[in-house]
Amino acid sequence: MTESVDVLIVGAGLSGIGAAYRLQTQARGKSYAVLEARDAIGGTWDLFRYPGVRADSDMFTFGYPFEPWTDRRLMAEGSAIRSYIAGTATKHGIDQHIRFQHTVVRAAWSSADARWTVTAEAGPDRAPVTYFCAFLYLCTGYYSYSSGHVVDFPGQEEFRGVIAHPQFWPEDLDYRGKRVVVVGSGATAVTVVPAMAQTAAHVTMLQRSPSYYACMPATDPIADWLRARLPAGVAHRVNRAKNVTVVTLLLMAGRRWPAWMSNLLRGQIERELKGSFPMDPHFVPSYEPLDERIGIVPDGDLFTALNDGRASMVTDHIDTFTATGIRLRSGAEIEADVIVTATGLKAVSFGEIAVTVDGVPADPSQSLIYKGMMFSGIPNLVWSIGYTDAAWTLRADLTAQYVARLLNYMDRRGHTVCTPYVGDGDPALESLRPMVGTKAGYVRRATGIWPKRSARRPWHLSQNYFVDLPTIRYGRVKNPALRFGRATARPAARRQLAATR
């Protein structure tokens, strides 16, 4: 089976549905299809089913600017986010463009006819399907859906209980009245611990090193007041603008004065613990606050669980798993019936799709990222990448609007090809850095597979919405780093290619 569209979107998660909406409303007349490997809308929020799974950004910034968030909860649970994404797709007719159970495996660009040939495996029998498109839009995120980051802990095979990874949570896991150890201290662990502590006998959060956390209220009285007095769409935009401003200013201040940010966060934690749990060594990180993403704790639920004794925290290194739990390097042992390995996610490039340009494999690690979305030497391809410190959707939506503007610009001028280009002597090559600037484990592990960024624009991936808004949303599309053109094949050759297809 074959199908041809102007734009092929890969992924029907938060980014993919937002991209489709912007195409429909801002690049009218462009045909598109959405290929989704799973059998449901939602992406990450359909995949993750571990206890307490939720957003770690407020839903006014994490949600779409064009679709009001009407729930009172700021940090929505995974099921509510799934419903929100699916409802948005249905409301705007995007669901009619989605091809479920279509796993994209290859994408080949031909300069001769300015087209991508995309190969997918469809259905349970993984039948090969071919799509042709002028523009390939990857909304796959940068985490692997097929595997998480797996740590081969010594002695795992000796443990007689259950070992669960949050990314592939066992549906039949019953931890009521059980002793649970959660290995990790990141965003997943800080969510799982208080959720499991509600019914488990006890939950121990075992961390190798401390992390930074920030408490946020689960609801916002100002948002509620605005929604009671303004139309839903207006209230949503006002609340979104308010939260974007507050979060961005805090992040800017944190980068400028990291010691101030560290004292602010640690002081907040100390007040939450009320002297019932020691700060040192459990809440004294060795890095600056924004070197890694700050864990969000709605209504201080993690600290409530620690104060109540339903959960505890241990800072140590694992020596080995045993038949009944975990032995630590200090010699202490933690007994467990269930061990949750919240050890992080596996980062990938381009959704693990094999990309070629005129028959030559495209190595993402050898490309520079243009405006945080396109890549040197790869024509007509965008990879939607969100913010690491703030809400993912803020940047993803800017990218979607830019893509619509780029397509309109190319149509007006008769271009069919757009390729970011960096010359051998370009000053941007003198200041190459990893694509993402944080020091999180998944970023360090991905350094060799992700594209590079530069300190020089436009080869830079900003983490500041106020910087990106004028340059991506309103800035000129034309740029010296972009090369525009048309298919290289002669008309007769293109007819022959079409006949062959």
Side-chain angles (χ1 to χ4, degrees), residues 1-29:
M1 189 184 84
T2 61
E3 185 175 350
S4 181
V5 293
D6 293 321
V7 182
L8 189 63
I9 298 172
V10 182
L14 194 66
S15 301
I17 301 304
Y21 174 85
R22 293 302 186 186
L23 283 177
Q24 287 187 174
T25 57
Q26 297 180 11
R28 297 180 183 276

Side-chain angles (χ1 to χ4, degrees), residues 22-42:
R22 293 302 186 186
L23 283 177
Q24 287 187 174
T25 57
Q26 297 180 11
R28 297 180 183 276
K30 291 293 182 184
S31 62
Y32 75 91
V34 183
L35 303 188
E36 170 54 49
R38 300 173 63 78
D39 57 6
I41 294 172

Side-chain angles (χ1 to χ4, degrees), residues 361-382:
D363 182 354
S365 69
Q366 300 303 306
S367 290
L368 266 68
I369 189 167
Y370 175 82
K371 287 186 179 291
M373 66 184 82
M374 298 183 76
F375 305 89
S376 60
I378 305 180
N380 291 25
L381 181 145
V382 161

Side-chain angles (χ1 to χ4, degrees), residues 48-70:
F48 289 171
R49 301 297 179 103
Y50 57 81
V53 58
R54 55 168 173 76
D56 61 352
S57 296
D58 73 273
M59 288 302 297
F60 292 118
T61 58
F62 194 66
Y64 301 118
F66 54 83
E67 192 62 32
W69 174 254
T70 57

Side-chain angles (χ1 to χ4, degrees), residues 91-293:
K91 175 180 177 180
H92 299 285
I94 298 168
D95 56 334
Q96 303 302 311
H97 296 260
I98 302 174
R99 318 291 190 260
F100 292 108
Q101 294 188 347
H102 278 57
T103 303
V104 178
V105 292
R106 290 184 299 278
W109 170 261
S110 168
S111 295
D113 58 345
R115 284 290 187 270
W116 286 99
T117 300
V118 179
T119 304
E121 296 175 345
D125 57 350
R126 305 186 73 84
V129 183
T130 301
Y131 284 81
F132 299 109
C133 65
F135 207 92
L136 184 58
Y137 195 165
L138 304 181
C139 295
T140 56
Y142 48 53
Y143 298 129
S144 171
Y145 276 51
S146 58
S147 65
H149 174 58
V150 178
V151 178
D152 187 16
F153 292 109
Q156 286 186 90
E157 67 283 355
E158 302 295 329
F159 182 59
R160 294 199 296 261
V162 177
I163 300 177
H165 193 286
Q167 187 168 338
F168 306 102
W169 194 262
E171 293 183 5
D172 58 349
L173 178 56
D174 184 4
Y175 54 86
R176 290 175 297 179
K178 303 289 182 63
R179 299 165 300 178
V180 179
V181 175
V182 177
V183 180
S185 60
T188 302
V190 79
T191 301
V192 168
V193 170
M196 297 187 75
Q198 294 178 17
T199 56
H202 187 79
V203 179
T204 302
M205 183 173 173
L206 173 57
Q207 61 179 9
R208 184 173 54 186
S209 57
S211 299
Y212 281 102
Y213 305 111
C215 293
M216 288 185 62
T219 59
D220 181 355
I222 297 176
D224 293 341
W225 186 88
L226 288 170
R227 282 190 288 203
R229 289 160 176 79
L230 297 173
V234 176
H236 181 75
R237 288 192 292 272
V238 173
N239 283 319
R240 186 174 184 272
K242 170 179 70 70
N243 288 6
V244 168
T245 301
V246 170
V247 171
T248 304
L249 290 177
L250 280 173
L251 291 174
M252 291 172 64
R255 295 187 186 100
R256 177 67 178 83
W257 301 292
W260 168 81
M261 175 68 81
S262 176
N263 290 333
L264 177 70
L265 296 175
R266 288 166 60 177
Q268 186 184 52
I269 294 172
E270 196 164 11
R271 289 190 297 273
E272 289 287 334
L273 291 173
K274 303 173 184 177
S276 65
F277 205 82
M279 287 287 293
D280 194 4
H282 308 300
F283 297 101
V284 185
S286 59
Y287 59 91
E288 293 184 348
L290 296 179
D291 283 350
E292 298 184 18
R293 189 176 177 96

Side-chain angles (χ1 to χ4, degrees), residues 377-392:
I378 305 180
N380 291 25
L381 181 145
V382 161
W383 184 21
S384 182
I385 299 171
Y387 292 119
T388 56
D389 293 333
W392 175 278

